[in-house]
Amino acid sequence: MTPSPRRYHITTFGCQMNKADSERMAGVLENLGMEWSEDPNGADLILYNTCTIRDNAEQKVYSYLGRQAKRKQTQPDLTLIVAGCVAQQEGEQLLRRVPELDLVMGPQHANRLGELLEQVFAGQQVVATEAVHIMEDITKPRRDSAVTAWVNAIYGCNERCSYCVVPNVRGVEQSRTPEAIRTEMTELARQGYKEITLLGQNIDAYGRDLPGATESGRHLHTFTDLLYFVHDIEGIERLRFATSHPRYFTERLIKACQELPKVCEHFHIPFQSGDNEILKAMKRGYSIERYRQIIDRIRELMPDAALSADVIVGFPGETESQFENTLKVVADIGFDQLNTAAYSPRPGTPAALWENQLPEEVKVDRLQRLNHLVSIKAGERSRRYLGRIEDVLVEEENPKDPGQVMGRTRGNRLTFFPGQIASLRGRVVPVQITEVRAFSLTGIPQSLG
Ligand code: SF4
């Protein structure tokens, strides 16, 4: 029987959903009486929460694992765990690749960590990747922030974008009930949290899998309904949500975001390509004209809204002129932030098997040209803040300057200004913007009145 370890370390790769899962798994380990170790080499239990969205993300974990597997040869009671999307994708194969592993668990099993560890401590090597109904988590997550919190609204994704591995590794959509989400948010408000980000791979599809979801063809539990349902929770001052899908971004949702004061005017709506032929090959389910309509409507009702998105270049078969269509969209719309990536063939996805893959050098060249344009446009967008007063929700001390604090505007811009974190954490401070950079701002605090 392995004695129970004392200290744990979690390394998280990838998206906000993984960060939220890691916070919950940390909560499970602390519930088992373990303590966080900042240094992985000071920990008795090491957990890697992994990402497989692109090949380089997947490869990262193997070098980390190699080091700890070696350490285990001299420290046999070290517990080694791989969680997240690589665990789900590789399953048993991971045990063959790294026989020192104790537990391989997919994202759907994050809430079952305690139960799975019982089997490990009983001496078993465990693989948990079967599809399960995700149980509500009662454990108190160990959250990174004391001011802003992630709250899962829907797990998984039913879309079938031809390049994406997410549906294979995170499973079908599972919406939490509005009541469960409201209960968690109310508890967070009681703990002093001020801002909640509602999370989902495809958050706008929220609710369509809930029982009794439709009445005479209208969805009763849509994401817009959820926003109205949780908007009045006392203590919560700001609401955000991610990640949206243009296919489900409705007029009703845009109106709700304009109407509901707590909903921040920041929208993350990936468009992936500016070319309709490529969007069709990606199986995205919308045209670039439809995407532009959504952006235009948001700007009509919320002219100063901040926009961010994801885009892929070098998709199989993408011609120079199709790539230029993407550049044109980026130039026309002017995103506040754009996550850019070169196409990476993923196991189990249709596009990975297509013959018309592009050479790496073409992908790299297009990514560089796109990133150049993105930083120019982001700089232009940032300039609108100069001289303005922005409400900043203070989250932390500036790690580079203890005389400064940092937080975000409603437009999700990271902002720094002079102040003491002890008195300002969790407060919304009006800040006059005196300096702008492509992706962050600096300013002077105005009196809190
Ligand atoms: S919507 Fe498409 S890109 Fe997004 S997670 Fe689902 S399958 Fe992947």
Side-chain angles (χ1 to χ4, degrees), residues 5 17 28 45-46 159 189 193 197 209-210 218 224 229 268 294 322 354 367 405 418 442 445:
M17 266 60 84
V28 170
L45 180 146
I46 304 259
E159 300 301 304
Y193 282 86
T197 300
D209 61 309
L210 288 174
R218 190 178 91 71
T224 308
F229 183 68
H268 183 64
I294 293 168
Q322 289 172 327
W354 297 347
L367 192 58
V405 294
T442 296

Side-chain angles (χ1 to χ4, degrees), residues 53 156-168 173 201-202 243-245 248 270 272 282-284 312:
I53 202 77
C157 182
N158 289 4
E159 300 301 304
R160 280 283 172 263
C161 303
S162 58
Y163 54 84
C164 184
V165 74
V166 170
N168 302 344
E173 283 163 14
Q201 306 288 158
N202 182 3
T243 294
S244 289
H245 193 302
Y248 305 100
Q272 303 300 6
M282 286 177 163
K283 296 217 175 336
R284 288 290 287 168
I312 295 172

